[in-house]
Amino acid sequence: MVLFGPSGCGKEFYDEGHKSILEVPQWLKEYGLDAYEYSFGHGYQMSSELAVKAGELFKINDIKVSLHAPFYINFANPSEEMYMKTQGYIYTGIKFLRAFQADKLVFHPASCGKLNRKDALDLTKKRFEETFNKLDSEGLLDGLFLCPETMGKSMQIGTYNEVIDLCKVNSHLVPTFDFGHINSIEQGALKNKDSFKRILDYSIENLGFDKTNNCHIHFSKIQYGLKGEIKHLNYDDQMYGPEFDSLAEVLIDYNLSPRVICESMDQMPHDALIMKKIYHKILDKKIKL
Ligand SMILES: [Zn+2]
């Protein structure tokens, strides 16, 4: 079964007077959602005690949790010192996964910086091998998925082909398909079932069904320009896409059960619920046929 949830609870949660992450699990459950992504995008600013308490409550309320690692991770920074920092952010992310009893760490793989794309990609791949195989051999990745994300800007490493290729390096690496990002990089190409099939077929061919089934999905509409992503929009936008219906149909046809996280501009829970309803409407129709 596909699970749906927001990345952060946004305005609605705070407008109702809620403040703490400890209030999120029950709030989401009552909202009708089943997953949540907590963002450490701007750093790991939480005590591990609070993470443990929150993790218990997410578990009691049957909400699956993913964490987003800091945005400043960059496996292609030529500086060894910065590479050590990147490894540290992954390591801390794993500690927080354990505290939350969560299983997926989403991260942005790399940015080209001054390197040409091929050199940046080669360096990223080499360091992926080094970092994740080491963590794996120490038993630190047991039961976990590390999820490099497809990115929305042309200078970032993270086309879907690149991410899928990087995920071959270790069995714990599975893609985060951010379809808003892919649509931005591809200038609005995600318009029908075939465009989503192209991506998931490539994943199944290269990583197999199980890894594709365990992939993480970010879905939101995103405004883009020639260099890709400009800004996240809400689901009611009619200009940029992508629409969720076609992806929902492919997920059902392929019998895939990923976690779908909505990263709308400011109404993530609201839009995650719209996607959940789209999915179940299509599913119910197919079951009746
Ligand atoms: Zn991200």
Side-chain angles (χ1 to χ4, degrees):
M1 185 65 77
V2 181
L3 303 180
F4 292 86
S7 164
C9 288
K11 205 173 162 311
E12 216 175 329
F13 177 79
Y14 296 103
D15 283 355
E16 287 179 16
H18 301 290
K19 286 185 183 73
S20 164
I21 184 161
L22 300 178
E23 296 171 89
V24 169
Q26 195 183 343
W27 189 82
L28 281 179
K29 189 179 180 145
E30 285 168 5
Y31 206 101
L33 294 169
D34 7 72
Y36 185 62
E37 185 172 300
Y38 185 84
S39 179
F40 286 110
H42 299 287
Y44 292 107
Q45 290 151 348
M46 183 185 285
S47 70
S48 48
E49 290 78 14
L50 183 58
V52 168
K53 269 191 205 160
E56 279 299 324
L57 293 170
F58 280 111
K59 198 174 174 188
I60 290 166
N61 287 281
D62 213 11
I63 306 282
K64 289 280 181 225
V65 180
S66 316
L67 303 179
H68 197 308
F71 300 133
Y72 27 87
I73 281 180
N74 181 3
F75 277 91
N77 189 320
S79 150
E80 277 300 309
E81 191 189 336
M82 295 311 283
Y83 171 40
M84 289 300 126
K85 285 199 173 161
T86 278
Q87 283 193 329
Y89 300 136
I90 295 287
Y91 184 77
T92 307
I94 290 167
K95 284 209 300 194
F96 272 102
L97 285 180
R98 299 294 183 199
F100 267 98
Q101 304 183 57
D103 60 348
K104 289 182 169 170
L105 184 69
V106 177
F107 64 97
H108 300 174
S111 198
C112 291
K114 287 179 184 151
L115 300 180
N116 68 46
R117 194 169 194 93
K118 185 179 181 306
D119 289 347
L121 193 56
D122 287 349
L123 186 58
T124 301
K125 194 165 187 188
K126 180 176 156 273
R127 287 171 167 180
F128 260 48
E129 280 167 2
E130 206 170 74
T131 304
F132 296 108
N133 292 345
K134 181 167 178 282
L135 291 168
D136 195 10
S137 70
E138 291 166 358
L140 293 173
L141 303 184
D142 294 354
L144 304 183
F145 296 105
L146 286 295
C147 314
E149 179 176 344
T150 58
M151 300 306 297
K153 291 178 185 155
S154 57
M155 285 300 282
Q156 293 168 311
I157 295 294
T159 64
Y160 75 88
N161 308 77
E162 287 167 350
V163 166
I164 287 168
D165 190 39
L166 288 167
C167 285
K168 289 179 186 167
V169 160
N170 184 278
S171 64
H172 295 273
L173 291 164
V174 302
T176 295
F177 292 115
D178 186 313
F179 287 105
H181 284 164
I182 297 172
N183 193 55
S184 299
I185 281 287
E186 297 189 357
Q187 303 291 302
L190 301 189
K191 288 204 187 325
N192 51 36
K193 276 176 79 172
D194 282 346
S195 50
F196 290 99
K197 276 187 182 166
R198 158 169 63 91
I199 297 160
L200 293 169
D201 284 344
Y202 187 78
S203 179
I204 293 169
E205 277 162 31
N206 285 278
L207 300 175
F209 180 83
D210 286 352
K211 268 198 179 192
T212 307
N213 195 35
N214 283 317
C215 78
H216 197 58
I217 289 179
H218 284 165
F219 205 99
S220 45
K221 296 191 177 180
I222 295 180
Q223 181 188 351
Y224 55 84
L226 287 175
K227 288 182 179 170
E229 172 183 14
I230 294 175
K231 76 171 182 153
H232 285 234
L233 305 167
N234 288 325
Y235 197 73
D236 56 11
D237 168 75
Q238 299 292 317
M239 271 285 282
Y240 288 95
E243 298 296 332
F244 187 66
D245 309 57
S246 302
L247 176 60
E249 294 218 20
V250 178
L251 293 178
I252 292 165
D253 288 353
Y254 283 15
N255 204 14
L256 290 167
S257 308
R259 204 171 292 166
V260 177
I261 296 294
C262 176
E263 289 191 323
S264 280
M265 179 170 62
D266 60 7
Q267 48 186 45
M268 302 74 92
H270 173 270
D271 291 352
L273 197 58
I274 290 178
M275 291 176 206
K276 184 173 176 177
K277 285 180 181 161
I278 290 171
Y279 174 83
H280 282 284
K281 199 171 164 193
I282 297 170
L283 187 61
D284 288 348
K285 221 193 246 169
K286 296 220 180 200
I287 290 168
K288 280 191 198 123
L289 283 175

